[in-house]
Amino acid sequence: MKEKRGNFTGGIGFVLAAAGSAVGLGNLWRFPYLAAQYGGGIFILIYIILAVTFGFALLMTELAIGRKTQQSSITAYTQLHPRFGVLGYIAGLVPLIILPYYCVIGGWVMKYMMVFLGGAGKKAAQDSYFGNYIGQEWTPLIFFLIYLTITMLVVLGGVQKGIERVSRFLMPVLIVITIVICIYVSTIDGAGEGLKYYLLPNFSKFSIKTLCAAMGQLFFSMSLAMGIMVSYGSYVKKEVSLTKSVNQIEIFDTLIALMAGWMIIPAVYVFSGEAGLQSGGPGLMFMTLPKVFDQMPAGQVIGALFFILVFFAAVTSSVSVLEATTSMLMDKRHVSRKKACFILFGVSVVLGIPSSLGNGVWSHITILGMDFLTFFDFFTNSILMPIVALGTCILVGWVTGTKPLEEEITRNGESFPRRSLYRIMIKYVSPVFLITILVFYTLAQFGIINY
Ligand code: TRP
C-alpha cells in the first residue's frame, strides 16, 4: 500500500507548508495566555532565547533526521539506532493526544466565528459569556465534532493542497488584521501599562515554572518533539537549504506569536488588570478580543474577519498534523488512508468528548487536580515532549554523533552558520536543561517540592 513520498516544490513551498502547520492556535490562543500567566516580559524573553537556541537546534535535527532517513518518525528513529525506535512511538503518540483537544478549541473558534457572523458579537463581549458557553453540554461538543469532521474530510479528500493554497493567501491577511488590532489596542487608554507588562521583563517573576511553560510552548508552537517535523523533513528536496528554512520558520512562527500576545495582553490589562492576566487561562483570547472589538470602530466586521482567519490558521495546523499521523499509520500498519483516518477520528472523538465536557458537567472529575483538557495539554507538553526531545538529543549528540546530520544539513556545500551552537546545544545544554525541567516539574506536580 506504499504511496509515493511526495515532495514540496522547492524551498519556499516547504517553508510555507511548514509555517502553515506551525502557525495555528499555538500562536494565537496558547502563547498569549501563557505569556499573561507567567509574568509577561520575562516569559517573552525566555521564549525568544529558547527559540533561537533550543528551538533552532531541535527543529534542525528533526528536519535533518527526516530528510536523511526519508522516513516518518516511527521508522526514522529505528533506522538511526534500533534501540531508539521507541522514541518514534512516543513522538507519534503526542499528536494523537493533542489533536482531540486542539479540535475542541477549534470548535470554540468556530462558535465565535458564527456569533460574529450572525452580528451578535456584542453578546460575546459580556464577562460571563465564555464561561457559560464552554460549560454547556451540547453546543461545544457539536462544534468540536464539526471541526474534527472538517479536518478529517480535508485529509480524506486529499485536498490539503487546496487548503494550503487558500491559506497562503489568507496568512498575509491574518497578519495584516493582527497588526491593525495591535495598533488599535495600543491606543486604548491605559494600554501603556499593559504593554510594559508584556514587553519589559520583570526578573522577580522568574521561576522554573516560567521556564517549563516557555519550553512546552516552544514545542507546541513549532510542532517539535512530536514527529511532525521529521515527516516534513522527509518531504524536503535534497537541494533545499535546511539552515535557511529553519531560520524562516523560526522567525515567522515567533513573530506571529508575539503579535498575538500584543493584541491580547495589553487589552486584558486595561479591562481586568493584573488579576485578569493571571486568571484568564485558556479562555483569555475568547474573553478579551470580543471586548476589544466591541469598542473598536467597525469592530463587529473586524471581529468576524478575525475569527474566520483564526479558524483557517487552526484548520491548516490540524489538517497537517492529522495528515502526518495518518501517513504514519499507513506506513506502519499498512492500512488504507481511509481506514487510518477513521481510526484517528475514533480516537479523537473518545479523547475529545471528556476534554469538552470537562469544562462543565464533568468538571468535578480531575486527574492530578486538572480537568481533562488541561491534563492532556500538561501530559504532552510537559512530560512526553521533553522525553522525546531528550531522547533525540542523546541519540544525536552521543550515540550517532552530530556528524551524519551535519553532513545532511550541509550536503549542498552550504555553510552552517550556527554549527558550534548547534553541537553544544544538542550535546550538553539541551539534555541538562531537559532533565532539570522534567525532574522539577514532576516533583512539583506531585507536591513533593514547591517552586
Ligand atoms: N503547531 C501548531 C500550532 O501552533 C499546531 C499543533 C501543534 C498541533 N501540535 C499539534 C495541532 C498537535 C494538532 C495536534 O497551533
Side-chain angles (χ1 to χ4, degrees), residues 224-265:
L224 294 172
M226 53 180 98
I228 305 295
M229 287 298 167
V230 175
S231 305
Y232 267 69
S234 72
Y235 301 132
V236 185
K237 285 190 179 147
K238 293 286 185 186
E239 58 272 17
V240 169
S241 158
L242 287 184
T243 51
K244 279 198 200 120
S245 307
V246 164
N247 285 345
Q248 286 161 355
I249 298 168
E250 209 179 44
I251 292 172
F252 198 60
D253 191 69
T254 307
L255 278 183
I256 300 221
L258 289 176
M259 288 195 320
W262 186 302
M263 176 171 78
I264 294 170
I265 291 177

Side-chain angles (χ1 to χ4, degrees), residues 19-30 94-103 217-224 226 228-229 253 313-314 317-322 381 385:
S21 163
V23 175
L25 295 175
N27 312 61
L28 299 159
W29 155 76
R30 206 171 182 276
V94 173
L96 284 188
I97 304 177
I98 295 184
L99 188 66
Y101 78 78
Y102 197 89
C103 292
Q217 174 57 22
L218 184 69
F219 287 144
F220 190 100
S221 186
M222 291 207 203
S223 311
L224 294 172
M226 53 180 98
I228 305 295
M229 287 298 167
D253 191 69
S317 295
S318 50
V319 162
S320 73
V321 172
L322 180 62
N381 288 276
M385 283 138 94

Side-chain angles (χ1 to χ4, degrees), residues 68-106:
K68 186 175 167 57
T69 59
Q70 289 291 299
Q71 310 270 336
S72 59
S73 69
I74 291 208
T75 40
Y77 285 99
T78 316
Q79 189 169 326
L80 286 181
H81 196 284
R83 303 226 348 234
F84 281 76
V86 64
L87 277 184
Y89 286 93
I90 309 179
L93 207 58
V94 173
L96 284 188
I97 304 177
I98 295 184
L99 188 66
Y101 78 78
Y102 197 89
C103 292
V104 171
I105 318 279

Side-chain angles (χ1 to χ4, degrees), residues 182-200:
C182 286
I183 294 174
Y184 174 74
V185 162
S186 313
T187 65
I188 303 181
D189 260 354
E193 279 305 302
L195 263 179
K196 258 195 215 149
Y197 177 87
Y198 181 54
L199 293 176
L200 295 182

